[in-house]
Amino acid sequence: MLRKGITESFGAAIYTLNTAQLTDGVINRSKRMMLDTLGVGLLGTRTAVFNKALKYSQMFTSDKKSSVWGKSEIILPPHYAAFVNGIAVHSMDFDDTWHPATHPSGAVLPALLALAETLPSQPSGLDLLLAFNVGIEVQGRLMRFSTEAYNIPERFHPPSVVGVMGSAAASAKLLGLSPEQCSHALAIAASSAGAPLANTATQTKPLHIGNAARRGLEAALLAQAGLEGNPAILDMNCGFGVYYKDYSPSAMADSTSGAFRWILEDQDVAFKRIPAHLGMHWVVDAALAARANLQNTAGHFDSNRIRRVTLRVPPSKYINCPLPSTEHQARHSFQFNACSALLDDNVTVASFSDALIRRSALKELLSKVTVETPEDNQPSFDQMYCEVEVETDQGLSYAARCNTFYGHWRKPLSQEHLVEKFSVNASSVLCTDGVDGVIDVVGNIERQRGCSVLSSYLRMTSHPHEQQHRTMTL
């Protein structure tokens, strides 16, 4: 029989965790997560999926209004602002990734910023930082209830499972709910959790993050209004356990004792250098290294002389897309990303445009790709590797292997490169003062008296003549 009181322990922890428990390590890591999330979210407001969701969301009104990032004149009901901003964050699959696998920040930060704008008493930056980390922590705890979660997912997209719970926990914390209400917020959110992997590589996948942010916020507000759910939702196989084959939950340590330790203290996140599924980063780095080997030996690179490209990657059906025809399929294709890297000696935001996806040179190279899945290549973001071998029509072979890409939690982006990534992404939408303002506010978030200043900077859009078009090279 499963232990009782697990849900209650989560509710108590959400309620009792306080700002004094935020360590320097957790503060620094979570500020990096916030900055990166805002950057990819701002860039994401230029995508088709975001604009479709925004048009839909503008049908709704309420007395309470929240900002849409990068839109100086558009406001929405808070849960719809959380929805569209969450979609923007994941619209290019450019947001952070944790281990066990999920995108932790995109489900939490849009909900918190939307909620903060509606509260009668403006939360401080430290309040925002604490609520954000509560939402991240809950996700990390829930993922560790299953060994299945440590591998590349097979059934559910993880942010749709744990992200909505993190959003609910973070929102409950910012609302100051009681321990019982926090538990009910988790129970309510659990009934909005879960999205099938069949919708990855489509325009619906970004909705998984948007829905997590929105539904988690709604769950907390409903709990505040007195709505109740199963007070043992995390304790039961027929509760939150339905999402995992090997569910084995445990109570959260008493946050008032010395036994509590933030998961983020020990497990950093990965920050992406290209807007694609995390697995693509291994194959891109391996392809670039193989290309360099060929070019250094032959003196030049000619794709027409390539006879075969062999990829040795971990087994995963939803990121094995031989002939992608859309940007979302391309973001989930080992073959596309390897061939793009070989052809262009780089992979960027522009690589996923229709023009580059449909070019004949790429299609020709894709037809020469073979995928192998060696038995020792584990489907885990902590253990996987990628090898790329290029064979020429002269019978020569050039191979390279990537065990850890730059940006992985074992090989984190430098602060300089993280800020550069944000600046390039944000400057496509915000004016220079807005970009600099967000960097300054997030960098000093724990010292901000109110977090509304952050929303102000996120609305400082560029005039057409101020738009900056730069390419990030890390």
Side-chain angles (χ1 to χ4, degrees):
M1 180 178 293
L2 293 174
R3 288 179 58 187
K4 295 181 180 180
I6 294 170
T7 312
E8 289 87 346
S9 76
F10 272 70
I14 294 168
Y15 174 77
T16 58
L17 282 167
N18 61 74
T19 56
Q21 293 170 278
L22 292 171
T23 65
D24 289 343
V26 166
I27 289 173
N28 290 333
R29 285 181 173 176
S30 54
K31 288 196 297 187
R32 283 164 57 88
M33 293 163 72
M34 286 182 173
L35 187 67
D36 187 67
T37 301
L38 294 173
V40 298
L42 287 163
L43 181 66
T45 62
R46 303 176 73 187
T47 62
V49 62
F50 168 83
N51 284 301
K52 290 174 182 178
L54 178 62
K55 184 177 180 180
Y56 162 76
S57 298
Q58 286 179 287
M59 293 191 299
F60 303 96
T61 61
S62 73
D63 293 336
K64 293 185 177 181
K65 307 290 185 182
S66 298
S67 302
V68 177
W69 301 350
K71 302 292 180 181
S72 59
E73 298 179 354
I74 298 178
I75 52 175
L76 291 174
H79 51 297
Y80 280 105
F83 176 62
V84 298
N85 290 334
I87 288 172
V89 169
H90 199 56
S91 61
M92 293 184 175
D93 220 316
F94 212 178
D95 45 329
D96 58 20
T97 306
W98 214 9
H99 181 69
T102 195
H103 304 285
S105 301
V108 174
L109 191 58
L112 288 177
L113 292 181
L115 176 59
E117 290 188 78
T118 69
L119 296 178
S121 178
Q122 181 64 210
S124 69
L126 200 55
D127 293 331
L128 179 70
L129 193 62
L130 175 62
F132 178 81
N133 276 286
V134 166
I136 301 302
E137 182 71 17
V138 165
Q139 294 179 72
R141 298 275 174 169
L142 294 178
M143 288 188 293
R144 282 159 176 76
F145 288 174
S146 164
T147 57
E148 176 190 3
Y150 283 79
N151 294 327
I152 295 175
E154 298 178 355
R155 298 183 299 145
F156 297 104
H157 189 211
S160 72
V161 176
V162 298
V164 66
M165 308 297 281
S167 173
S171 300
K173 184 63 178 178
L174 203 62
L175 286 167
L177 301 191
S178 70
E180 294 76 17
Q181 289 174 315
C182 291
S183 295
H184 287 305
L186 295 176
I188 298 166
S191 283
S192 293
L197 277 178
N199 267 329
T200 58
T202 74
Q203 286 189 332
T204 296
K205 187 187 181 191
L207 269 64
H208 297 172
I209 295 287
N211 281 329
R214 170 190 170 186
R215 296 299 190 185
L217 173 56
E218 289 178 337
L221 291 171
L222 287 167
Q224 185 185 44
L227 191 72
E228 297 181 351
N230 191 314
I233 195 71
L234 301 182
D235 303 62
M236 308 165 68
N237 282 326
C238 63
F240 198 72
V242 299
Y243 299 109
Y244 299 106
K245 299 172 185 175
D246 58 349
Y247 190 63
S248 181
S250 59
M252 188 179 286
D254 182 358
S255 61
T256 62
S257 73
F260 181 83
R261 182 177 174 86
W262 301 95
I263 290 176
L264 189 59
E265 189 84 62
D266 300 314
Q267 177 59 65
D268 201 356
V269 301
F271 294 107
K272 298 180 177 181
R273 293 165 20 242
I274 60 173
H277 180 276
L278 193 71
M280 304 306 110
H281 291 66
W282 277 271
V283 81
V284 165
D285 280 10
L288 292 174
R291 187 188 196 280
N293 290 339
L294 188 161
Q295 187 165 339
N296 290 339
T297 302
H300 69 286
F301 178 86
D302 183 355
S303 63
N304 294 320
R305 305 302 299 269
I306 294 176
R307 182 176 66 185
R308 179 183 303 149
V309 177
T310 303
L311 310 181
R312 298 183 181 94
V313 298
S316 179
K317 293 180 180 179
Y318 88 100
I319 47 178
N320 180 7
C321 186
L323 297 171
S325 60
T326 70
E327 62 167 302
H328 297 283
Q329 290 175 354
R331 298 184 200 282
H332 296 78
S333 168
F334 279 124
Q335 297 90 332
F336 173 87
N337 284 273
C339 289
S340 292
L342 289 172
L343 283 174
D344 303 327
D345 200 20
N346 200 3
V347 177
T348 67
V349 170
S351 301
F352 301 91
S353 65
D354 283 345
L356 293 188
I357 289 173
R358 300 182 187 280
R359 55 186 162 155
S360 58
L362 177 66
K363 292 181 179 180
E364 175 66 21
L365 193 55
L366 283 169
S367 70
K368 301 175 182 179
V369 175
T370 299
V371 173
E372 298 177 357
T373 54
E375 290 185 4
D376 69 333
N377 203 349
Q378 299 299 310
S380 164
F381 292 140
D382 203 43
Q383 301 178 39
M384 65 174 281
Y385 65 86
C386 287
E387 288 182 353
V388 175
E389 183 176 2
V390 179
E391 299 175 54
T392 69
D393 55 8
Q394 297 177 318
L396 300 176
S397 179
Y398 304 88
R401 170 169 168 161
C402 177
N403 294 315
T404 304
F405 67 87
Y406 180 44
H408 191 274
W409 46 83
R410 288 194 301 268
K411 195 175 181 181
L413 285 185
S414 67
Q415 185 65 15
E416 178 185 0
H417 284 158
L418 186 81
V419 172
E420 181 186 358
K421 177 188 173 183
F422 169 81
S423 298
V424 170
N425 289 337
S427 65
S428 66
V429 178
L430 301 184
C431 66
T432 301
D433 287 345
V435 173
D436 293 342
V438 173
I439 293 172
D440 180 65
V441 170
V442 173
N444 296 282
I445 193 69
E446 70 273 32
R447 291 181 284 277
Q448 300 292 330
R449 292 186 177 181
C451 58
S452 61
V453 63
L454 182 57
S455 295
S456 298
Y457 282 122
L458 291 170
R459 295 194 299 269
M460 293 179 62
T461 55
S462 296
H463 295 296
H465 69 275
E466 292 177 315
Q467 292 286 355
Q468 301 178 44
H469 300 283
R470 294 181 286 174
T471 301
M472 180 179 61
T473 56
L474 303 184

